[in-house]
Amino acid sequence: VHDYQLMLLPQMIRNKFPNAKIGYFHHIPFPSFEIFRLLPWSSEIISGLLGSDLIGFHTFSYVRHFLSSSQRILGYENTFGKIMVGDRLVKIDSFPMGIDYDKYHNSYQLPEVKKQIAEIKKNTGDKKIILSIDRLDYTKGLVERLEAYDYFLKNNPQYHEKIVLIMIAVPSRTQIETYHDLKSNIDELVGRINGKYSSISWDPIWYMFRSVPFEQLTAMYNVADIALLTPLRDGMNLIAKEYLAAKVNNKGNLILSEMAGVAEELGEAIIVNPNNKDQIADALQEALILSIEEQSERITAMQHRLKRNNVFKWANDFVEALSNIDRSVIKDKSKLLTDPIKEQIFSAYKKSKKRILFLNYDGTLVSITKPRSKAVPDKEIMGILKNLVKDTKNDVVIFSAREKEIMEYWFHDLDVTLIAEHGVWIKDHKSPWKTITNLDNKWKAEIIPILEAYVDRTPGSFIVEKDYSLSWHYRMTDQDFASVRINELIDTLLTRVANLDLGIFEGHKYLEIKSLEINKSRAAAYIMADPESADFIVALGDDSSDDELFKILPENAFTIKVGTSITAAKYSLVSHVEVRKLLKEVSST
């Protein structure tokens, strides 16, 4: 699927053909989040694109903008440019589009091209040729380019009658009024500049409003001393590549807008801000006096790069990446809970006499939500838990970082064991809450002011204070901003917690400070100390703290991580939806 007018199409295809392998390439710039979020349909567009298996952009900056928009608008986080959408892995990557390099490089050998070269040289004499070729479009910066050229001529009279700007504007959308107005504006500017500086033997601008055949185009590339390409915004700009490929004598200069995607590849060009007349004028001055040796060195370096990365390599790289998507998915899904493994779980569950089911709450039984207070247990999960506890062989243990009062309020009707605040408090259905170790919370008075300072500096973050721990939550904060604050906060806290026997633990969208004696593994070990040992153990969790639990469980335990991050668990599931499905199947075994 190609380009922006079809951004909704990948998901439409996915809905009709769920197993199709879909690639999408975006041929224009993808805007930054600050611009993209202004669209009323921004979430629909992101969802449409994420129906693909592979999404390609010209440059990494466009990739970064898309990943940022996906995360901030729909909450999709990425790992090295990969986004997990349901049970699919979507890869986002840059594929800089090339040209048919040999076609342009060898064009000078064509008789018609040689004829055109001779004619251009005859008409221009010893004048330096500045070439500007673009489609007539307001994104190409043609008006700004002409104004900069006017500014250059005004401030550099020594170049009068020594240079000529050949400006070709290829007709585009001529029936649209704004494009008609643009053409009128350009016509007036060209007339005004020529009227201001022309002499009997010299016009500073040769202006053509038409398409140019290949032979004439490549002839112009070949003889032009300077290519002036300064779009206000451009996805790639292949004209710059065509110009360089056609320079068989390695003489010439490329002045290129930093707003063109190709500027990321062609660092040897003279890069300018297309809105800065002074900078463009200075670039023209630099290009006109640049030595032949320097020109050759720059063009040779860029040509080698373009020859290696031609249009055929671009197409092959994209198709190969799309073909390899299955292998990437298999690699990333190497721990996914397959049907054969599920059958092993069901069989072991059925044969067992005493079972323990360790279940994390947020992110495992329910989805992570904004705000945190909305993640209450719904009817479906309560029904699943009720079915599990009906079986007297089952000991259901629910872990949570939440306060004990909330846990008891939610689950007081169920015969389950509750572990609150990551292992501080433990309670079974018949007993009151208790701790498994003596804890002190006097240290909180020293840490709270630090966290409060970071809440003030980080909009959207907040503090959760529990009996024996403090946590700084940032799920409602800009993630790029939060990542900076996290590192700052950790550095600040490390000097304070070292002498207080405290640890700093990173969870899903939060940072927790608590006693080193508090952890899920210690709480689990306490539960499993029962003389009547269990012969079936399953543990499910999505948090990094759940790995503490996975590591201490017996070898025959079924440990399952929810999500795609690196884990000590043996298996993984994609989301809480898959967890519920598994628990339903287990309870009905």
Side-chain angles (χ1 to χ4, degrees):
V1 178
H2 283 270
D3 222 2
Y4 69 96
Q5 71 274 13
L6 300 175
M7 287 192 288
L8 299 179
L9 185 57
Q11 187 57 49
M12 293 177 180
I13 297 173
R14 179 70 58 199
N15 292 339
K16 195 167 184 63
F17 304 103
N19 297 319
K21 190 181 294 184
I22 303 170
Y24 170 87
F25 195 85
H26 200 73
H27 288 272
I28 65 170
F30 197 90
S32 65
F33 166 70
E34 286 71 21
I35 300 297
F36 186 73
R37 68 175 173 177
L38 299 177
L39 286 175
W41 325 277
S42 56
S43 59
E44 288 86 350
I45 289 172
I46 295 290
S47 297
L49 290 174
L50 289 175
S52 310
D53 295 291
L54 174 66
I55 302 174
F57 295 93
H58 282 305
T59 71
F60 179 71
S61 62
Y62 305 155
V63 171
R64 187 176 67 248
H65 292 330
F66 177 79
L67 292 174
S68 175
S69 295
S70 298
Q71 196 281 321
R72 299 182 189 196
I73 293 171
L74 292 182
Y76 285 116
E77 296 185 15
N78 81 91
T79 304
F80 303 113
K82 295 178 181 178
I83 294 176
M84 206 70 188
V85 181
D87 61 350
R88 291 187 303 109
L89 196 67
V90 181
K91 182 178 181 182
I92 297 90
D93 208 347
S94 59
F95 301 87
M97 190 175 184
I99 60 170
D100 186 346
Y101 181 87
D102 292 335
K103 176 182 177 181
Y104 287 90
H105 193 68
N106 298 327
S107 63
Y108 78 99
Q109 299 175 354
L110 299 173
E112 181 60 28
V113 174
K114 290 181 178 179
K115 179 182 175 181
Q116 292 284 344
I117 290 173
E119 187 174 342
I120 294 170
K121 287 183 175 179
K122 178 183 175 182
N123 292 327
T124 57
D126 59 355
K127 296 181 183 68
K128 295 285 187 181
I129 299 173
I130 303 169
L131 181 63
S132 167
I133 302 177
D134 274 300
R135 186 167 49 82
L136 184 74
D137 193 292
Y138 50 84
T139 65
K140 300 301 182 181
L142 300 179
V143 171
E144 291 78 5
R145 196 175 310 173
L146 285 169
E147 290 174 345
Y149 184 59
D150 182 14
Y151 181 80
F152 173 79
L153 292 174
K154 177 183 177 181
N155 291 281
N156 295 277
Q158 69 273 23
Y159 287 109
H160 290 193
E161 302 196 18
K162 295 180 181 179
I163 62 174
V164 61
L165 171 63
I166 300 177
M167 187 169 196
I168 300 171
V170 179
S172 174
R173 306 179 177 96
T174 53
Q175 303 305 313
I176 299 176
E177 185 177 352
T178 51
Y179 282 79
H180 180 75
D181 293 342
L182 175 63
K183 181 183 181 301
S184 298
N185 196 358
I186 291 171
D187 290 347
E188 291 173 8
L189 264 174
V190 171
R192 186 164 70 245
I193 294 169
N194 277 342
K196 189 190 300 185
Y197 301 107
S198 291
S199 65
I200 294 175
S201 59
W202 177 62
D203 285 326
I205 303 174
W206 293 3
Y207 174 54
M208 290 179 274
F209 178 62
R210 60 181 173 83
S211 297
V212 178
F214 175 78
E215 290 78 12
Q216 187 177 4
L217 178 66
T218 52
M220 289 181 181
Y221 286 155
N222 194 280
V223 300
D225 298 281
I226 301 170
L228 181 61
L229 304 171
T230 56
L232 302 179
R233 202 73 174 101
D234 214 341
M236 177 53 68
N237 195 298
L238 298 181
I239 292 171
K241 295 187 175 185
E242 293 170 1
Y243 169 77
L244 292 170
K247 304 303 287 183
V248 292
N249 58 6
N250 289 346
K251 290 169 57 180
N253 297 276
L254 174 61
I255 299 175
L256 185 61
S257 165
E258 64 185 357
M259 303 300 179
V262 73
E264 294 189 19
E265 289 183 79
L266 305 179
E268 294 83 1
I270 302 173
I271 308 297
V272 297
N273 182 329
N275 299 291
N276 189 327
K277 289 192 293 187
D278 283 301
Q279 200 173 72
I280 295 174
D282 290 343
L284 285 168
Q285 172 76 12
E286 179 185 349
L288 287 166
I289 64 174
L290 202 64
S291 69
I292 299 298
E293 293 76 18
E294 179 72 12
Q295 293 177 38
S296 177
E297 184 178 335
R298 293 186 182 198
I299 286 181
T300 300
M302 291 187 282
Q303 283 182 338
H304 286 166
R305 199 174 302 129
L306 297 180
K307 189 173 184 178
R308 290 194 308 270
N309 299 290
N310 59 28
V311 69
F312 306 107
K313 184 177 187 299
W314 167 78
N316 289 335
D317 285 351
F318 187 85
V319 172
E320 184 178 354
L322 183 59
S323 299
N324 289 338
I325 286 294
D326 282 347
R327 281 191 295 237
S328 298
V329 172
I330 290 170
K331 182 178 179 181
D332 286 276
K333 290 185 177 180
S334 58
K335 287 190 171 187
L336 276 183
L337 199 64
T338 60
D339 288 337
I341 300 299
K342 286 183 182 179
E343 290 302 322
Q344 290 182 30
I345 294 175
F346 300 154
S347 176
Y349 180 88
K350 193 172 183 178
K351 294 176 183 178
S352 59
K353 297 180 180 179
K354 180 174 174 59
R355 313 171 187 127
I356 299 180
L357 291 84
F358 291 108
L359 308 175
N360 188 45
Y361 183 71
D362 285 289
T364 303
L365 297 181
V366 298
S367 63
I368 300 291
T369 63
K370 298 180 184 180
R372 184 171 176 256
S373 58
K374 289 188 177 181
V376 298
D378 53 61
K379 289 182 180 180
E380 182 185 40
I381 194 58
M382 292 301 289
I384 292 170
L385 294 173
K386 285 177 181 178
N387 284 337
L388 287 171
V389 298
K390 279 180 184 177
D391 192 329
T392 56
K393 296 179 181 179
N394 292 339
D395 185 0
V396 177
V397 182
I398 301 177
F399 279 95
S400 180
R402 293 177 182 266
E403 299 87 335
K404 64 181 188 300
E405 292 81 9
I406 292 176
M407 294 289 289
E408 185 167 13
Y409 176 74
W410 283 343
F411 302 111
H412 66 276
D413 287 337
L414 293 179
D415 186 7
V416 295
T417 299
L418 301 176
I419 299 179
E421 298 184 26
H422 278 324
V424 173
W425 297 101
I426 296 179
K427 179 188 187 306
D428 61 34
H429 187 56
K430 300 174 182 177
S431 305
W433 289 99
K434 60 184 176 182
T435 61
I436 57 175
T437 185
N438 293 322
L439 297 171
D440 180 15
N441 62 8
K442 294 178 181 178
W443 55 268
K444 289 199 293 185
E446 186 174 343
I447 302 299
I448 285 177
I450 298 173
L451 297 184
E452 287 176 340
Y454 275 82
V455 167
D456 293 339
R457 296 173 58 200
T458 315
S461 67
F462 58 93
I463 301 169
V464 173
E465 181 179 356
K466 302 166 191 173
D467 291 324
Y468 296 101
S469 67
L470 292 169
S471 53
W472 181 72
H473 290 252
Y474 56 90
R475 69 179 65 183
M476 299 179 70
T477 300
D478 178 276
Q479 295 307 301
D480 293 334
F481 184 37
S483 64
V484 175
R485 284 286 184 260
I486 290 166
N487 292 329
E488 289 181 5
L489 180 54
I490 290 174
D491 287 342
T492 304
L493 289 172
L494 281 174
T495 56
R496 303 295 183 94
V497 303
N499 299 322
L500 297 174
D501 196 29
L502 300 174
I504 303 170
F505 303 90
E506 287 194 59
H508 188 74
K509 309 286 188 182
Y510 68 88
L511 202 68
E512 187 170 41
I513 303 95
K514 62 182 180 180
S515 168
L516 292 172
E517 295 186 23
I518 300 173
N519 55 68
K520 291 183 178 180
S521 60
R522 189 181 185 116
Y526 178 84
I527 290 171
M528 292 189 297
D530 191 311
E532 188 182 353
S533 60
D535 53 356
F536 176 90
I537 299 173
V538 66
L540 294 103
D542 72 303
D543 204 287
S544 57
S545 62
D546 293 307
D547 282 315
E548 303 168 358
L549 169 62
F550 298 149
K551 290 175 183 177
I552 64 99
L553 293 179
E555 182 62 30
N556 64 343
F558 294 97
T559 54
I560 305 169
K561 182 65 173 285
V562 182
T564 58
S565 58
I566 297 172
T567 178
K570 296 176 183 176
Y571 312 108
S572 67
L573 287 172
V574 173
S575 69
H576 75 286
V577 176
E578 295 294 315
V579 171
R580 294 184 178 197
K581 182 180 177 182
L582 176 67
L583 294 178
K584 282 180 183 178
E585 292 172 341
V586 165
S587 62
S588 61
T589 299

